[in-house]
Amino acid sequence: MKQFRRGYYKDALIIAVPIMVQNIITNFVSLVDNIMIGQLGTSGITAVAVSNQLLLLYIVGVSGALSGAGIFTAQYFGNQDQEGVRHSIQAKMLLAIVIGSIALGIYLVFGESLIDMYVLGGNDPGRSIETKDLALSYLQIMLFGILPIGLSQVYMSSLRELGESRYPMVASMAAVLANMVLDYVLIYGKLGLPALGVKGAGIATVIARVIEMSILIVVTLRCRNKGMFKGIHKIYEVPRQLLGNIVKKGFPIFISSFVWAFGIAFITQAYSTRGIEAVAAYNIAGTVNGIFVSIFNAVSIAIMIIIARLLGANRMAEARKANKDLLVLSVGICIVIGLVMAFIAIYIPNLYNTSTSTRSASRKIMWVMATALPICAFTNGASGTLKAGGETTRSLMIDSGFMLGLTIPIAYILSRYTDWPIVPMFLLIQYLEIIKALVLYLEIKRGRWIRKVI
């Protein structure tokens, strides 16, 4: 048993560590960017936070749709079916283009109205209008990154499912380095260029996304499994039956991911009822939290890939044992990193040019986030397990039911019918995750996810 555990820990870390490095660097640079923007004042922080919250709906939605197709990619790969892998990647390409086109249309038509929900109606109308103008200009620039974001997701997810995790890591590292340098130059006006402030941050991010996409396209031509990427742009070749199966299994994941992103956007809007400073505090804490969340997200991706491969190879008993060991690994890692996050929360808010009350609130929110990391690690890993076995509808029912039936109603009640400050609001909403963890534990124990879908 110990040998078995060590084997799957090793497999998980081989997949997860490059993803961790990639995500940690990405989120660390986001933190640096956030601090740079934070020097522009509370309005700048809030404007970027609001726009990114809206863009999260698209990013999480396309990621969820590709995750559904990724179940097939991983199981075909475990079954050594090269043609099946290629067709599943073609399906991903099609989904990314369709979802990106829809998202672009929505943001162009409704972007300003969506921003109004977050920034208008506060106690300082002048600051609210300033924040709205900054958020709208940032969002309009970021729309040029919609297609590069979607295509990068296609290549990244596919490379990981084929065991090529280091390539997405390299591409992401190059992109975030470019992003950080360009942010410094464009936000503050260095090297003879004008200081563009928030607009400069948006331009830097779009350029970085294009760099990332370009590198990923090139590296797929050099990876060990490059033959599986040949002709993936021929999206019209996807077999209808396979596309139907991918949509059938993937649509619940897409809906679940979209509902989650919508829920986060709604909750953020609930926090915004406590003022622009509350949004700034939540954004500061969330940016730091992203660094640590990226660690258990990487393990969750590894869990889904490993379990899907085992199920695709008909190794059912091994899948059950591996799942248990990997969930323990994920929770254990997050207990450790939660302690680290709680410690650095003492110092990070002091780096921002904002009020003392905003710094204090962000510090307390980070402490709550740190204690909740192990719980979130389990729920993410358990959801990945259900998806690996094709239980996408059940995963949808749990994830979306929890968000729509419990989290959003409680956030609405607290924001509209109480005068609670943001910190106790966040504490209660965050710890609702315990209920979801109990439900997922029972589902994993039942074992209905232990089956092959290809």
Side-chain angles (χ1 to χ4, degrees):
M1 180 64 185
K2 290 182 178 179
Q3 183 179 1
F4 176 88
R5 181 177 291 114
R6 286 196 298 268
Y8 282 104
Y9 281 0
K10 180 180 178 181
D11 290 344
L13 293 176
I14 288 173
I15 297 172
V17 168
I19 302 174
M20 286 182 193
V21 172
Q22 172 191 346
N23 290 342
I24 288 172
I25 292 173
T26 300
N27 283 282
F28 177 76
V29 173
S30 294
L31 175 61
V32 174
D33 292 347
N34 204 255
I35 293 172
M36 290 184 191
I37 295 168
Q39 304 310 305
L40 304 176
T42 302
S43 294
I45 300 173
T46 306
V48 173
V50 168
S51 296
N52 283 334
Q53 190 66 66
L54 297 176
L55 288 167
L56 181 66
L57 290 166
Y58 162 67
I59 294 172
V60 172
V62 72
S63 178
L66 299 184
S67 179
I71 297 170
F72 289 82
T73 306
Q75 290 209 8
Y76 277 129
F77 186 65
N79 200 40
Q80 300 181 345
D81 184 343
Q82 182 169 319
E83 185 179 28
V85 170
R86 184 182 302 112
H87 286 320
S88 66
I89 298 176
Q90 289 171 333
K92 286 186 180 184
M93 191 72 68
L94 176 61
L95 290 170
I97 293 171
V98 171
I99 295 171
S101 300
I102 294 172
L104 184 61
I106 291 173
Y107 290 132
L108 284 172
V109 176
F110 301 107
E112 185 173 358
S113 299
L114 293 170
I115 290 171
D116 286 345
M117 294 172 58
Y118 289 85
V119 300
L120 298 185
N123 297 325
D124 189 343
R127 176 179 284 185
S128 296
I129 293 173
E130 177 191 8
T131 302
K132 173 187 173 178
D133 291 341
L134 291 172
L136 187 58
S137 64
Y138 182 85
L139 179 63
Q140 289 171 341
I141 292 169
M142 287 297 295
L143 294 184
F144 289 97
I146 290 287
L147 183 60
I149 289 171
L151 296 182
S152 292
Q153 291 269 12
V154 172
Y155 285 101
M156 279 189 181
S157 61
S158 301
L159 285 165
R160 289 167 182 164
E161 287 146 10
L162 303 183
E164 305 279 4
S165 296
R166 69 186 185 278
Y167 290 115
M169 178 185 70
V170 171
S172 184
M173 289 174 65
V176 296
L177 178 61
N179 194 4
M180 186 165 59
V181 173
L182 289 169
D183 266 340
Y184 177 72
V185 172
L186 297 175
I187 290 174
Y188 301 126
K190 304 298 181 181
L191 302 179
L193 296 173
L196 299 176
V198 168
K199 289 183 179 179
I203 294 170
T205 302
V206 171
I207 294 173
R209 290 293 191 177
V210 172
I211 291 172
E212 181 180 63
M213 179 187 68
S214 301
I215 293 174
L216 286 167
I217 291 173
V218 172
V219 298
T220 54
L221 302 176
R222 302 182 61 183
C223 70
R224 289 173 301 174
N225 297 297
K226 60 185 178 182
M228 298 184 183
F229 287 92
K230 186 176 180 180
I232 61 169
H233 61 283
K234 298 178 180 178
I235 56 179
Y236 52 84
E237 292 184 352
V238 182
R240 291 186 179 181
Q241 183 177 359
L242 174 61
L243 183 60
N245 289 335
I246 286 176
V247 171
K248 182 179 179 181
K249 292 295 181 184
F251 188 70
I253 300 179
F254 168 76
I255 294 297
S256 179
S257 299
F258 187 83
V259 168
W260 178 85
F262 169 79
I264 296 299
F266 184 94
I267 292 167
T268 303
Q269 196 280 328
Y271 296 148
S272 74
T273 62
R274 300 309 186 249
I276 288 177
E277 289 195 349
V279 178
Y282 179 60
N283 179 57
I284 292 170
T287 304
V288 176
N289 188 53
I291 298 174
F292 296 90
V293 166
S294 65
I295 296 175
F296 74 69
N297 276 341
V299 178
S300 298
I301 291 170
I303 291 173
M304 188 174 77
I305 291 172
I306 290 173
I307 299 304
R309 287 180 184 173
L310 290 172
L311 295 174
N314 284 315
R315 295 157 66 180
M316 305 304 180
E318 289 185 44
R320 181 188 286 273
K321 293 177 182 178
N323 178 68
K324 180 180 177 181
D325 290 341
L326 293 174
L327 287 175
V328 170
L329 173 67
S330 183
V331 172
I333 289 174
C334 284
I335 291 173
V336 175
I337 65 174
L339 294 173
V340 176
M341 181 178 175
F343 175 75
I344 70 169
I346 300 171
Y347 305 102
I348 292 293
N350 296 331
L351 300 175
Y352 288 80
N353 179 27
T354 188
S355 66
T356 302
S357 60
T358 299
R359 294 193 194 105
S360 176
S362 66
R363 185 175 296 114
K364 293 173 182 176
I365 291 172
M366 274 188 265
W367 283 334
V368 175
M369 289 174 169
T371 60
L373 280 175
I375 304 169
C376 296
F378 177 82
T379 55
N380 267 41
S383 291
T385 299
L386 295 181
K387 294 168 187 173
E391 287 289 328
T392 55
T393 301
R394 194 164 299 278
S395 176
L396 166 67
M397 292 171 61
I398 295 172
D399 292 338
S400 300
F402 172 79
M403 180 62 77
L404 295 174
L406 188 61
T407 306
I408 288 178
I410 288 180
Y412 180 83
I413 291 169
L414 291 177
S415 63
R416 269 66 177 184
Y417 299 104
T418 76
D419 58 357
W420 286 20
I422 186 173
V423 175
M425 280 179 64
F426 180 80
L427 176 66
L428 177 58
I429 291 169
Q430 184 69 39
Y431 268 87
L432 293 174
E433 192 80 6
I434 294 175
I435 300 172
K436 180 179 174 183
L438 292 173
V439 174
L440 283 167
Y441 171 77
L442 295 175
E443 277 300 317
I444 294 297
K445 192 173 181 180
R446 288 190 182 99
R448 285 181 287 195
W449 53 272
I450 306 175
R451 62 192 181 91
K452 191 173 180 178
V453 299
I454 59 174

